[in-house]
């Protein structure tokens, strides 16, 4: 199926992002470019919520983004419609959950893809996820569990520090079903910057929980799982997740410790976790927040490696096919080689968005 045929058979979808004062122009521009013009299946609409005041170069970039998008697509995708750009300005920064809830109100389409303003989407991200999301939602299967439509789909992510061509470790997650349900009681079941979801499902669950500290996405997934939404993780890294030494410091501290305890109490109160799981999570996850940063970094890498090994040796669904002219680019081949040299050949899956313990 060529690009035009795939576009004709694939429903339109919205890309949802939020930017804030801490984002640099370099980060925002790279994230938008990788999620639009570089995609073999670009979004039909781009919603960017400006969460409070931003740096002046970022504001100028947002002000001219629609015309920039027109120039890009005329040059690179002349047969594709130019995505509609919707910039939603908020006067003050009230947190990511609030920004995304406001942004959802401006999304024209029920299929919404998330992207963070400092991460990079690989060229086949939407060409892989969107058709599979639609197919797994519409297909009839023999067992009752599989017959339910997919509501949230994520992918593996691959870390990088500053150089996209020098990627770090892959974060892995169980694909679906009972394994993912068990995993979700300790850690986030999907990577937030990789997800595609149904807007209607998220809104029916009340949207992103606000005033939830730094765990707005994990608490949303809890709401959806309690409402019997269906989750699926694609065993292929489709997003480069920006990380740094400072990230390990942000995962700890007294504020994160308090947010962690509130999260675990919420899960227990809602019946998402059992009393035993609550105690386990407080011991494992809360302790992770208060240990020194150097130990936190080692613990993170050790736990990620262990989870990757466990998940890679379990049965995995086949990799979705890759499509499009970008998929064979030398840059992507180099990344694929890097991936295969650090992981078993049969695996290419993921682990959670913020800490290994989100």
């Amino acid at each position: 199926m060529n690009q035009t045929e795939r576009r004709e058979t694939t429903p339109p979808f919205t890309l949802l992002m939020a930017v804030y004062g801490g984002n640099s122009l370099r980060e925002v521009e790279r994230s938008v470019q990788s999620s639009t013009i570089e995609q073999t299946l670009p979004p039909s609409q781009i919603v960017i919520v400006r969460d409070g005041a931003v740096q002046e170069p970022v504001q100028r970039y947002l002000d001219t983004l629609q015309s920039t998008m027109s120039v890009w697509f005329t040059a690179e995708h002349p047969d594709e419609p130019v995505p509609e750009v919707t910039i939603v300005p908020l006067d003050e920064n009230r947190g990511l959950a609030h920004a995304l809830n406001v942004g959802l109100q401006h999304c024209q389409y029920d299929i919404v893809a998330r992207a963070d303003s400092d991460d990079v989407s690989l060229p086949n991200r939407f060409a892989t996820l969107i058709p599979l999301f639609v197919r797994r939602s519409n297909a009839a299967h023999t067992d009752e569990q599989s017959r339910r439509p997919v509501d949230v789909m994520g992918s593996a992510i691959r870390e990088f520090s500053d150089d996209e061509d020098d990627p770090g470790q892959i974060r892995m997650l169980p694909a679906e079903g009972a394994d993912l349900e068990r995993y979700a009681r300790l850690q986030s079941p999907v990577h937030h910057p990789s997800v595609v979801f149904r807007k209607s499902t998220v809104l029916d669950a009340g949207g992103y929980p606000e005033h939830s500290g730094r765990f707005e996405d994990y608490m949303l997934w809890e709401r959806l799982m309690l409402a019997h939404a269906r989750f699926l993780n694609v065993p292929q890294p489709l997003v480069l997740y920006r990380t740094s030494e400072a990230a390990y410091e942000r995962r700890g501290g007294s504020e994160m410790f308090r947010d962690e305890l509130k999260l675990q109490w919420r899960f227990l109160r809602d019946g998402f976790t059992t009393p035993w799981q609550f105690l386990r999570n407080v011991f494992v996850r809360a302790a992770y927040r208060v240990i020194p940063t150097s130990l936190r970094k080692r613990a993170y890498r050790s736990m990620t490696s262990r989870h990757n090994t466990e998940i890679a040796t379990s049965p995995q669904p086949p990799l979705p096919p890759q499509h499009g002219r970008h998929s064979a680019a030398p840059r992507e081949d180099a990344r694929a080689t890097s991936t295969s040299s650090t992981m078993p050949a049969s695996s290419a899956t993921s682990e959670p968005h913020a800490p290994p313990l989100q």
Side-chain angles (χ1 to χ4, degrees):
M1 180 183 296
N2 61 36
Q3 187 166 333
T4 301
E5 291 172 334
R6 189 164 64 251
R7 168 61 77 184
E8 291 175 351
T9 58
T10 303
F13 66 97
T14 297
L15 172 69
L16 175 61
M17 301 176 60
V19 300
Y20 77 113
N23 291 130
S24 68
L25 174 62
R26 176 172 172 261
E27 291 173 345
V28 174
E29 189 173 27
R30 184 70 192 103
S31 180
V32 171
Q33 183 175 346
S34 71
S35 299
T36 56
I37 190 61
E38 293 184 5
Q39 290 295 310
T40 58
L41 182 65
S44 302
Q45 181 197 20
I46 306 158
V47 173
I48 301 180
V49 182
R50 193 205 66 195
D51 193 9
V54 296
Q55 299 176 29
E56 184 177 344
V58 174
Q59 183 62 60
R60 288 199 301 267
Y61 177 74
L62 297 178
D63 290 341
T64 60
L65 185 55
Q66 183 67 76
S67 59
T68 300
M69 204 65 60
S70 298
V71 172
W72 278 352
F73 273 78
T74 299
E76 292 289 328
H77 293 299
D79 297 328
E80 289 274 2
V82 178
E84 178 181 344
V85 176
T86 304
I87 306 297
V88 184
L90 301 182
D91 291 336
E92 61 177 314
N93 183 312
R94 292 175 54 186
L96 181 60
H98 177 73
L100 295 180
N101 283 336
V102 173
L104 281 173
Q105 303 300 324
H106 294 265
C107 294
Q108 297 179 14
Y109 306 109
D110 194 45
I111 299 178
V112 175
R114 275 281 293 117
D116 278 350
S117 53
D118 58 352
D119 294 335
V120 177
S121 295
L122 296 182
N124 287 315
R125 180 187 171 195
F126 300 140
T128 298
L129 289 182
I130 301 298
L132 182 62
F133 185 84
V134 174
R135 187 163 64 248
R136 290 296 296 265
S137 296
N138 296 336
H141 298 277
T142 56
D143 61 283
E144 195 63 34
Q145 172 72 14
S146 296
R147 191 174 294 118
R148 299 207 326 268
V150 171
D151 298 290
V152 180
M153 179 181 290
S155 79
I157 61 176
R158 189 163 48 192
E159 293 181 348
F160 78 106
S161 179
D162 192 55
D163 184 358
E164 296 175 33
D165 294 319
D166 184 25
Q169 64 185 349
I170 292 177
R171 301 189 188 181
M172 303 180 69
L173 285 173
E176 60 184 327
D179 288 343
L180 187 58
E181 288 279 349
R182 284 191 296 270
Y183 188 90
R185 268 59 186 182
L186 177 63
Q187 301 191 53
S188 177
V190 287
H191 296 299
H192 194 199
S194 77
V195 298
V196 172
F197 57 68
R198 297 184 181 282
K199 181 181 73 170
S200 55
T201 300
V202 170
L203 292 180
D204 286 347
Y208 284 88
E210 300 186 24
H211 312 295
S212 55
R214 306 183 197 184
F215 297 106
E216 64 281 324
D217 55 328
Y218 198 177
M219 292 181 69
L220 173 61
W221 313 143
E222 180 234 15
R223 283 183 177 181
L224 294 178
M225 283 191 161
L226 289 174
H228 307 292
R230 188 170 176 220
F231 287 67
L232 178 66
N233 284 306
V234 171
Q236 184 176 352
L238 298 174
V239 172
L240 296 182
Y241 172 71
R242 191 183 299 271
T243 187
S244 65
E245 292 297 318
Y248 295 102
E249 296 182 9
R250 292 194 297 269
R251 292 166 181 163
S254 58
E255 185 177 347
M256 280 294 288
F257 179 77
R258 289 193 299 270
D259 288 347
E260 184 67 63
L261 292 181
K262 288 169 57 179
L263 176 78
Q264 297 306 325
W265 176 248
R266 168 71 178 269
F267 284 178
L268 177 64
R269 186 193 68 188
D270 292 348
F272 188 64
T273 56
T274 65
W276 181 87
Q277 290 170 331
F278 169 80
L279 294 175
R280 176 202 62 185
N281 292 356
V282 168
F283 178 77
V284 174
R285 291 177 56 99
Y288 175 82
R289 308 300 177 189
V290 297
I291 61 177
T293 301
S294 59
L295 293 179
R296 187 180 304 115
K297 181 177 180 179
R298 288 201 293 269
Y300 164 75
R301 294 187 177 278
S302 175
M303 292 184 64
T304 299
S305 177
R306 178 172 60 83
H307 283 305
N308 286 354
T309 301
E310 292 174 352
I311 297 168
T313 56
S314 65
Q316 296 287 339
L319 292 177
Q322 295 198 4
H323 303 285
R325 57 191 175 91
H326 292 285
S327 61
R331 191 177 199 174
E332 293 308 303
D333 292 342
R335 290 174 182 157
T337 301
S338 174
T339 300
S340 62
S341 66
T342 57
M343 297 188 60
S346 62
S347 68
T349 48
S350 89
E351 207 237 348
H353 170 52
L357 295 175
Q358 173 155 320

